Protein backbone atom coordinates (compact mmCIF):
# COMPACT_ATOMS: atom_id res chain seq x y z
CA UNK A 1 0.00 0.00 0.00
CA UNK A 2 1.21 3.52 -0.82
CA UNK A 3 2.02 5.86 2.02
CA UNK A 4 3.40 9.36 2.52
CA UNK A 5 6.39 9.55 4.88
CA UNK A 6 7.56 12.90 6.29
CA UNK A 7 11.32 13.46 5.96
CA UNK A 8 11.61 16.88 7.63
CA UNK A 9 13.31 17.27 11.01
CA UNK A 10 11.01 17.15 14.00
CA UNK A 11 8.46 15.05 12.11
CA UNK A 12 10.78 12.42 10.58
CA UNK A 13 9.12 9.06 10.08
CA UNK A 14 5.57 10.29 10.60
CA UNK A 15 3.47 8.73 7.84
CA UNK A 16 -0.01 8.42 6.37
CA UNK A 17 -1.31 5.47 4.35
CA UNK A 18 -3.24 6.37 1.22
CA UNK A 19 -6.34 4.21 1.81
CA UNK A 20 -9.03 6.39 0.21
CA UNK A 21 -9.40 7.93 -3.26
CA UNK A 22 -8.78 11.47 -2.01
CA UNK A 23 -6.58 12.59 0.89
CA UNK A 24 -6.40 16.25 1.86
CA UNK A 25 -3.19 17.57 3.43
CA UNK A 26 -2.94 20.78 5.43
CA UNK A 27 -2.30 22.51 8.72
CA UNK A 28 -5.84 22.43 10.19
CA UNK A 29 -7.61 19.48 11.83
CA UNK A 30 -10.27 18.86 9.14
CA UNK A 31 -7.63 17.50 6.71
CA UNK A 32 -7.18 13.75 6.27
CA UNK A 33 -3.43 14.19 6.88
CA UNK A 34 -2.77 17.11 9.24
CA UNK A 35 0.72 18.65 9.26
CA UNK A 36 0.94 21.30 11.97
CA UNK A 37 3.75 23.41 10.50
CA UNK A 38 3.48 27.18 9.80
CA UNK A 39 4.76 26.94 6.19
CA UNK A 40 1.97 24.48 5.29
CA UNK A 41 -1.31 26.12 4.26
CA UNK A 42 -4.52 25.29 6.14
CA UNK A 43 -5.69 23.28 3.09
CA UNK A 44 -2.45 22.85 1.14
CA UNK A 45 -3.07 20.07 -1.39
CA UNK A 46 -4.93 16.87 -2.09
CA UNK A 47 -3.56 13.47 -3.07
CA UNK A 48 -5.80 11.33 -5.30
CA UNK A 49 -5.51 7.68 -6.24
CA UNK A 50 -6.26 7.26 -9.95
CA UNK A 51 -5.73 3.62 -10.84
CA UNK A 52 -2.06 2.92 -10.13
CA UNK A 53 -1.15 6.64 -10.22
CA UNK A 54 -0.89 8.96 -7.23
CA UNK A 55 -1.86 12.47 -8.34
CA UNK A 56 -1.09 15.58 -6.29
CA UNK A 57 -3.11 18.77 -6.78
CA UNK A 58 -2.23 22.08 -5.13
CA UNK A 59 -5.16 23.87 -3.47
CA UNK A 60 -3.86 27.44 -4.07
CA UNK A 61 -1.41 27.11 -1.19
CA UNK A 62 0.63 30.11 -0.07
CA UNK A 63 4.08 28.47 -0.28
CA UNK A 64 3.41 26.12 -3.18
CA UNK A 65 3.52 22.39 -3.83
CA UNK A 66 6.72 20.93 -5.33
CA UNK A 67 7.60 17.51 -6.72
CA UNK A 68 11.31 16.90 -7.18
CA UNK A 69 12.01 20.62 -6.76
CA UNK A 70 9.55 21.77 -9.45
CA UNK A 71 6.42 23.71 -8.57
CA UNK A 72 3.25 21.90 -9.64
CA UNK A 73 -0.46 22.62 -9.73
CA UNK A 74 -1.32 19.00 -10.56
CA UNK A 75 1.11 16.16 -11.27
CA UNK A 76 1.73 12.45 -10.80
CA UNK A 77 3.88 11.59 -7.77
CA UNK A 78 5.97 8.47 -8.37
CA UNK A 79 7.25 6.12 -5.65
CA UNK A 80 10.47 7.45 -4.13
CA UNK A 81 9.87 11.04 -5.27
CA UNK A 82 9.89 13.90 -2.79
CA UNK A 83 6.84 16.11 -2.34
CA UNK A 84 7.50 19.47 -0.66
CA UNK A 85 4.71 21.46 0.99
CA UNK A 86 6.13 24.76 2.28
CA UNK A 87 9.18 23.65 4.30
CA UNK A 88 7.99 20.06 4.83
CA UNK A 89 9.40 17.26 2.66
CA UNK A 90 7.40 14.06 2.18
CA UNK A 91 8.33 10.92 0.21
CA UNK A 92 5.87 8.57 -1.47
CA UNK A 93 6.66 4.98 -0.53
CA UNK A 94 5.10 1.75 -1.70
CA UNK A 95 5.80 -1.81 -0.59
CA UNK A 96 8.30 -2.20 -3.43
CA UNK A 97 9.93 1.24 -3.10
CA UNK A 98 13.68 0.77 -2.69
CA UNK A 99 15.26 2.80 0.12
CA UNK A 100 16.55 6.09 -1.26
CA UNK A 101 20.25 6.70 -1.75
CA UNK A 102 21.86 8.78 0.97
CA UNK A 103 21.64 12.48 0.16
CA UNK A 104 24.84 14.49 -0.04
CA UNK A 105 23.27 17.04 2.32
CA UNK A 106 23.10 14.43 5.09
CA UNK A 107 26.88 14.30 5.34
CA UNK A 108 29.06 16.92 6.97
CA UNK A 109 30.58 19.41 4.58
CA UNK A 110 33.97 20.91 5.41
CA UNK A 111 34.02 24.65 4.73
CA UNK A 112 37.10 26.75 4.08
CA UNK A 113 38.35 28.73 7.05
CA UNK A 114 37.58 32.45 7.06
CA UNK A 115 40.02 35.34 7.46
CA UNK A 116 41.79 35.73 10.80
CA UNK A 117 42.20 39.06 12.56
CA UNK A 118 45.99 38.92 12.02
CA UNK A 119 45.51 38.51 8.28
CA UNK A 120 43.17 41.50 8.20
CA UNK A 121 45.68 43.65 10.08
CA UNK A 122 48.52 42.59 7.73
CA UNK A 123 46.52 43.53 4.68
CA UNK A 124 46.66 40.91 1.95
CA UNK A 125 45.78 37.24 1.79
CA UNK A 126 46.11 35.08 -1.27
CA UNK A 127 46.10 37.88 -3.83
CA UNK A 128 42.75 39.29 -2.74
CA UNK A 129 44.05 42.86 -2.54
CA UNK A 130 45.22 44.08 -5.95
CA UNK A 131 46.55 47.45 -4.73
CA UNK A 132 48.47 46.14 -1.72
CA UNK A 133 47.33 48.92 0.64
CA UNK A 134 44.45 47.16 2.36
CA UNK A 135 41.66 49.50 3.33
CA UNK A 136 42.15 53.26 3.28
CA UNK A 137 40.04 56.19 4.45
CA UNK A 138 38.28 58.03 1.66
CA UNK A 139 38.31 61.80 1.50
CA UNK A 140 34.76 63.04 1.03
CA UNK A 141 34.62 66.75 0.16
CA UNK A 142 30.81 66.80 0.19
CA UNK A 143 30.75 65.94 3.90
CA UNK A 144 33.32 68.65 4.61
CA UNK A 145 31.23 71.34 2.84
CA UNK A 146 28.06 70.10 4.55
CA UNK A 147 29.78 70.42 7.94
CA UNK A 148 31.06 73.95 7.16
CA UNK A 149 27.57 74.98 5.98
CA UNK A 150 26.03 73.58 9.17
CA UNK A 151 28.48 75.53 11.34
CA UNK A 152 27.72 78.77 9.47
CA UNK A 153 23.96 78.25 9.83
CA UNK A 154 24.42 77.48 13.54
CA UNK A 155 26.46 80.68 14.10
CA UNK A 156 23.81 82.74 12.27
CA UNK A 157 21.02 81.25 14.42
CA UNK A 158 22.95 81.91 17.64
CA UNK A 159 23.60 85.50 16.49
CA UNK A 160 19.87 86.01 15.73
CA UNK A 161 18.87 84.64 19.14
CA UNK A 162 21.38 86.87 20.90
CA UNK A 163 20.17 89.90 18.87
CA UNK A 164 16.50 89.06 19.70
CA UNK A 165 17.26 88.82 23.42
CA UNK A 166 19.29 92.04 23.32
CA UNK A 167 16.49 93.86 21.41
CA UNK A 168 13.83 92.67 23.87
CA UNK A 169 15.88 93.93 26.81
CA UNK A 170 15.83 97.57 25.56
Amino acid sequence: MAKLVILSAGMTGRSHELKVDKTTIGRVEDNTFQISEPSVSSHHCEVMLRGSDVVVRDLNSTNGTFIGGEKVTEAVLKPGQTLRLGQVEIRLETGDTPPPAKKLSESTMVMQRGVSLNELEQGTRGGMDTVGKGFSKKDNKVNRWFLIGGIIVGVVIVALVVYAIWSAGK
Side-chain angles (χ1 to χ4, degrees):
M1 171 152 301
K3 67 178 177 178
L4 298 171
V5 179
I6 298 180
L7 306 174
S8 298
M11 295 180 269
T12 306
R14 195 170 147 226
S15 65
H16 179 81
E17 286 190 15
L18 300 174
K19 299 176 187 176
V20 294
D21 289 339
K22 184 167 90 173
T23 301
T24 57
I25 303 174
R27 194 179 63 248
V28 296
E29 291 178 14
D30 66 350
N31 287 288
T32 316
F33 187 20
Q34 181 187 8
I35 302 175
S36 299
E37 209 283 330
S39 67
V40 176
S41 293
S42 56
H43 298 97
H44 201 102
C45 70
E46 57 187 11
V47 177
M48 298 162 288
L49 298 176
R50 291 190 187 153
S52 62
D53 288 338
V54 175
V55 178
V56 177
R57 183 170 56 165
D58 184 71
L59 298 174
N60 296 320
S61 62
T62 302
N63 293 316
T65 299
F66 298 81
I67 294 178
E70 290 188 36
K71 189 171 186 173
V72 297
T73 51
E74 185 170 318
V76 173
L77 179 64
K78 295 184 168 91
Q81 281 189 312
T82 301
L83 170 67
R84 183 166 55 86
L85 311 177
Q87 298 294 317
V88 177
E89 288 191 340
I90 303 168
R91 183 177 53 235
L92 175 64
E93 293 183 358
T94 59
D96 56 330
T97 304
K102 186 175 182 181
K103 288 183 179 178
L104 181 59
S105 63
E106 291 176 353
S107 61
T108 303
M109 183 173 140
V110 178
M111 299 189 67
Q112 183 181 0
R113 176 178 73 84
V115 179
S116 72
L117 182 59
N118 288 337
E119 289 171 332
L120 281 176
E121 289 172 349
Q122 292 172 2
T124 63
R125 175 186 159 195
M128 290 173 60
D129 187 8
T130 58
V131 179
K133 291 185 189 176
F135 295 103
S136 62
K137 184 177 177 183
K138 292 184 178 179
D139 183 29
N140 193 341
K141 293 180 182 181
V142 174
N143 284 343
R144 185 178 303 148
W145 285 109
F146 184 76
L147 182 62
I148 292 170
I151 291 171
I152 292 171
V153 169
V155 169
V156 170
I157 290 173
V158 168
L160 288 173
V161 168
V162 169
Y163 177 75
I165 291 172
W166 180 73
S167 296
K170 284 188 171 182

